[in-house]
RNA sequence: GGGCCGUUAGCUCAGUUGGCAGAGCACCGGCCUUUUAAGCCGGGUGUCCAGGGUUCGAUCCCCUGACGGCCCA
């Protein structure tokens, strides 16, 4: 039947309901449990025992199947916590009520009241004594057996994806569990959850192109934050020793399997920690998030086994290229040779020094090889403007990036708290900023420098990409599968 | 931004070496009081993504575009 006809049939049925004086969208329905709670109590109860107790239930949900049998019918009711079969009998309900049930469309919401029993085949079933109309569905549900596969529809109309594909519901439940586990462990370790501005007059804390917006009353240009870092560190100055911010960041860059323009980041800071202690804590926190607190069970990600066994590997950026990437030490140590090697591989090298070239090699060439967790440590100063220099070194900072499943998962460092050096680095960045180089803010965040001048304790901080974490935990190959409404191009 | 692939019924998908468009589920009409991907009988419901071209004839071949996927930047 053509779509217009399908919709017309449903609209006609809605009109018929209303003609019969039935409210198709009543304000309330009386329910005394969920399918899940009913199943928890009676899934194991035998047929004869059920007969004896005759448990009364009132449930509401969508009708997802209707099997007519002349003077009776079976239907499946799905309330979002699970589905349960209902048995309707003409003799019990009367002709009008039974006839109205037969006229239901799949997807309509109903409330049922009745008694639990087991059918001949042992299925837990509600023998419906009374039912009421709860809400009309004017459009057809996706097909019940194959589900909904069209990726475009799945993302654009996520509600259909959630209705049709139970695995998808599980992913988003898992996402919520992970967030709960992260918060619980941070809270237990005296981290204070805070909210810092999304609308910022200047952006910072990462190298990324921002989204711009404007506040009308103040007639003020603003940026959506690319990271909360500089505000969280202001809080360290203010005496909040451990803070975290779990929220959305926005980067006006490409979209890929690992990038969505808005994404969720957990960022936290601890006074008096250094980057080594932060790595220890991150290991512990992530193992909890994965549900393997001792790290003993591996994760399977995209067909590869990924060991969580602690301690997680820590290798310097230089060694990561040599040991993990099988690159020659001579190549890794020779700026010109490395630049040529990257040019051959079409990796952009403009303006980069040896440190930047090494980072580019890691990002573009070696990263896919990093499956089991590895902290790449001791980053070049030239690409780390907010990190503290490693004692005894001139161009290496106390910074790490965590790689898992071929993805960058986290980035952390011992925080630079010397206002003079921070000011120098920021001024240098702005001075070297190209005309259209949006990755660097147009001016120095002097307000942040003033904050540091008031004194910031030594501290370590980290940012963890929550979406990628959920990808690992749910074995999802694309970030769109762990974000409910990923950004897609507008149609038409 | 570049390359490759895809877009056919509400959904999942076949198909036409260019000649009236197919299946299962859903849907519509009928039968059926323990079915559960219920079953049985009957019914195909369509802008074959859009526009242009080639052709007697295009869903199919060519071009352009839209949207999506994968890979690369």
């Amino acid at each position: 039947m053509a779509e217009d006809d399908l919709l017309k049939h449903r609209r006609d049925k809605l009109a018929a309901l209303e003609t019969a004086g039935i409210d198709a969208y009543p304000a309330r329905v009386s329910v005394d449990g969920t399918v899940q709670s009913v199943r928890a109590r009676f899934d194991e109860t035998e047929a004869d025992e059920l007969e004896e107790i005759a448990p009364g239930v009132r449930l509401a949900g969508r009708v997802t199947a209707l099997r007519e049998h002349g003077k009776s019918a079976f239907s499946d009711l799905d309330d979002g916590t699970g589905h349960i079969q209902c048995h309707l009998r003409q003799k019990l309900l009367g002709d009008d009520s039974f006839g109205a049930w037969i006229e239901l469309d799949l997807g309509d919401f109903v409330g049922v009241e009745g008694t639990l029993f087991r059918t001949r085949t042992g299925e837990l079933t509600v023998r419906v004594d009374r039912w009421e109309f709860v809400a009309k569905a004017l459009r057809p549900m996706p097909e019940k057996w194959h589900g909904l596969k069209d990726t475009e529809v799945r993302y654009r109309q996520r509600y259909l994806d959630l209705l049709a594909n139970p695995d998808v519901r599980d992913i988003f439940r898992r996402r919520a569990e992970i967030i709960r586990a992260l918060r619980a462990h941070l809270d237990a370790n005296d981290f204070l959850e805070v909210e810092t501005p999304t609308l910022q007059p200047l952006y910072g804390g990462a190298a990324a192109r921002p989204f711009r917006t404007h506040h009308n009353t103040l007639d003020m240009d603003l940026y959506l934050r690319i990271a909360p870092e500089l505000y969280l560190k202001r809080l360290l100055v203010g005496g909040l020793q451990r803070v975290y911010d779990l929220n959305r960041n926005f980067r006006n860059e490409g979209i890929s399997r690992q990038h969505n323009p808005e994404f969720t980041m957990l960022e936290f800071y601890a006074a008096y920690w250094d980057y080594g202690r932060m790595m220890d804590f991150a290991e512990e926190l992530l193992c909890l998030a994965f549900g393997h607190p001792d790290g003993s069970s591996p994760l399977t990600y995209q067909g590869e086994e990924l060991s969580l066994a602690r301690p997680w590997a820590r290798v310097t950026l230089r060694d990561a290229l040599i040991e993990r990437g099988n690159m020659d030490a001579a190549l890794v140590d020779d700026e010109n040779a490395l630049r040529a090697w990257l040019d051959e591989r079409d990796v952009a090298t403009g303006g980069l020094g040896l440190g930047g070239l090494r980072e580019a090699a890691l990002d573009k060439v070696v990263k896919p090889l990093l499956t089991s967790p590895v902290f790449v440590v001791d980053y070049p100063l030239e690409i780390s403007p907010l990190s503290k220099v490693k004692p005894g070194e001139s161009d290496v900072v106390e910074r790490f990036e965590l790689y898992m499943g071929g993805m960058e998962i986290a980035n952390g460092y011992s925080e630079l708290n010397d206002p003079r050096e921070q000011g120098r680095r920021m001024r240098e960045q702005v001075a070297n900023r190209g005309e259209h180089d949006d990755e660097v803010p147009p001016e120095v965040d002097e307000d942040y420098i003033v904050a540091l001048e008031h004194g910031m304790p030594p501290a370590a901080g980290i940012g963890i990409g929550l979406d990628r974490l959920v990808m690992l935990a749910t074995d999802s190959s694309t970030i769109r599968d762990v974000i409910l409404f990923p950004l897609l191009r507008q149609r038409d």
Side-chain angles (χ1 to χ4, degrees):
Chain A
M1 179 158 304
E3 180 165 25
D4 284 350
D5 294 331
L6 290 172
L7 300 191
K8 183 173 186 305
H9 272 287
R10 288 184 180 233
R11 283 196 303 269
D12 288 349
K13 286 184 181 178
L14 173 58
L17 279 178
E18 287 176 336
T19 303
I22 294 166
D23 184 355
Y25 298 99
R28 48 192 63 83
V29 55
S30 60
V31 168
D32 64 7
T34 62
V35 170
Q36 192 176 42
S37 65
V38 166
R39 287 202 179 279
R41 279 182 65 189
F42 298 109
D43 250 353
E44 306 300 322
T45 311
E46 301 290 337
D48 47 355
E49 198 186 333
L50 263 186
E51 205 68 39
E52 215 168 281
I53 327 171
V57 295
R58 274 194 207 169
L59 299 169
R62 283 186 193 270
V63 175
T64 57
L66 177 52
R67 297 179 286 280
E68 280 184 67
H69 288 269
K71 295 184 174 63
S72 80
F74 288 95
S75 273
D76 295 332
L77 187 76
D78 191 319
D79 73 350
T81 72
H83 58 90
I84 192 164
Q85 178 169 261
C86 296
H87 189 215
L88 296 297
R89 295 167 66 186
Q90 190 167 29
K91 207 171 160 187
L92 265 173
L93 289 167
D95 293 354
D96 289 352
S97 177
F98 181 77
W101 186 280
I102 297 304
E103 287 300 305
L104 287 174
D105 288 313
L106 299 190
D108 288 352
F109 285 86
V110 295
V112 300
E113 187 178 341
T115 312
L116 285 178
F117 75 108
R118 274 189 198 284
T119 62
R120 196 180 286 166
T121 53
E123 171 114 9
L124 189 65
T125 302
V126 182
R127 182 183 294 116
V128 177
D129 299 320
R130 248 198 308 279
W131 71 274
E132 58 190 318
F133 205 90
V134 171
K136 184 69 187 171
L138 287 173
R139 290 175 183 273
M141 305 259 293
E143 199 244 6
K144 62 184 170 184
W145 191 240
H146 297 91
L148 179 67
K149 292 188 176 172
D150 186 311
T151 44
E152 198 171 340
V153 177
R154 286 186 48 228
Y155 298 145
R156 287 189 195 277
Q157 293 175 279
R158 182 69 91 178
Y159 46 92
L160 295 178
D161 191 27
L162 291 164
L163 281 173
N165 301 319
D167 295 355
V168 174
R169 296 201 286 265
D170 290 342
I171 285 175
F172 291 102
R173 287 200 187 94
R174 191 70 207 287
R175 183 176 170 118
E177 280 170 18
I178 288 169
I179 290 172
R180 265 201 301 279
L182 293 169
R183 280 206 167 98
H185 193 60
L186 289 163
D187 293 342
N189 283 275
D190 300 318
F191 283 86
L192 181 71
E193 179 164 10
V194 296
E195 293 166 275
T196 57
T198 296
L199 296 175
Q200 303 179 348
L202 268 181
Y203 53 103
R209 298 168 60 199
F211 286 91
R212 293 162 213 280
T213 185
H214 185 80
H215 186 269
N216 290 335
T217 306
L218 297 180
D219 190 20
M220 180 186 186
D221 288 328
L222 290 163
Y223 303 97
L224 300 191
R225 70 180 194 182
I226 58 171
E229 173 158 353
L230 300 184
Y231 286 89
L232 288 169
K233 289 197 284 199
R234 283 171 170 92
L235 299 179
L236 295 178
V237 171
L240 302 180
Q241 294 200 353
R242 296 184 185 182
V243 288
Y244 72 96
D245 186 331
L246 174 51
N247 220 314
R248 212 70 58 79
N249 287 344
F250 305 84
R251 297 186 182 174
N252 202 343
E253 297 181 338
I255 294 176
S256 78
R257 288 200 299 168
Q258 292 170 24
H259 298 86
N260 193 60
E262 56 179 299
F263 65 100
T264 302
M265 181 129 92
L266 168 63
E267 199 159 317
F268 58 92
Y269 291 80
Y272 313 120
W273 287 13
D274 68 359
Y275 77 142
R277 171 115 188 245
M278 184 55 88
M279 283 187 269
D280 296 338
F281 186 80
E283 265 183 48
E284 187 180 304
L285 178 67
L286 294 181
C287 283
L288 281 165
F290 288 130
H292 302 302
D294 57 358
S296 58
S297 315
L299 281 183
T300 299
Y301 185 64
Q302 302 297 297
E304 298 221 45
E305 197 162 275
L306 196 150
S307 167
L308 297 179
R310 299 179 62 188
W312 294 352
R314 297 179 187 186
V315 298
T316 65
L317 175 57
R318 179 179 179 276
D319 288 346
L321 299 179
I322 296 167
E323 293 166 14
R324 304 302 184 99
N326 281 319
M327 293 171 66
D328 285 338
L331 174 62
V332 170
D333 291 334
D334 181 332
E335 184 174 333
N336 290 328
L338 187 54
R339 175 171 285 111
W341 187 84
L342 288 168
D343 286 342
E344 273 170 38
R345 285 158 182 77
D346 290 325
V347 176
T349 58
L352 295 177
L354 180 61
L357 295 172
R358 284 178 177 174
E359 201 260 350
L362 182 80
D363 190 51
K364 302 296 182 190
V365 182
V366 181
K367 184 167 74 174
L369 307 172
L370 305 178
T371 50
S372 288
V374 51
F375 289 105
V376 176
V377 301
D378 295 352
Y379 269 67
L381 172 62
E382 68 168 281
I383 53 165
S384 311
L386 301 165
S387 312
K388 189 171 270 189
V389 170
K390 198 174 180 185
E393 304 271 356
S394 60
D395 55 358
V396 176
V397 296
E398 293 197 349
R399 174 179 173 190
F400 64 85
E401 288 196 345
L402 172 64
Y403 289 87
M404 292 179 75
M407 293 186 283
E408 181 192 334
I409 299 300
N411 175 24
Y413 31 88
S414 301
E415 304 298 333
L416 177 59
N417 61 342
D418 179 336
R420 299 161 305 171
E421 186 177 349
Q422 186 67 81
R424 262 199 307 277
R425 291 197 202 169
M426 285 181 162
R427 281 192 295 275
E428 189 182 315
Q429 266 195 310
V430 170
N432 295 335
R433 182 181 191 266
E435 183 71 25
H436 301 290
D437 184 9
D438 289 353
E439 290 201 349
V440 173
E443 51 193 282
V444 173
D445 190 341
E446 298 291 353
D447 184 73
Y448 176 66
I449 303 298
V450 169
L452 290 187
E453 285 171 353
H454 282 92
M456 185 181 104
I462 186 173
I464 299 175
L466 181 86
D467 311 284
R468 292 181 186 171
L469 200 61
V470 178
M471 287 171 68
L472 290 170
T474 57
D475 197 13
S476 299
S477 65
T478 160
I479 199 167
R480 294 182 200 92
D481 283 341
V482 302
I483 292 176
L484 280 166
F485 299 99
L487 186 64
L488 298 185
R489 205 181 291 268
Q490 199 80 33
R491 299 210 80 159
D492 302 325

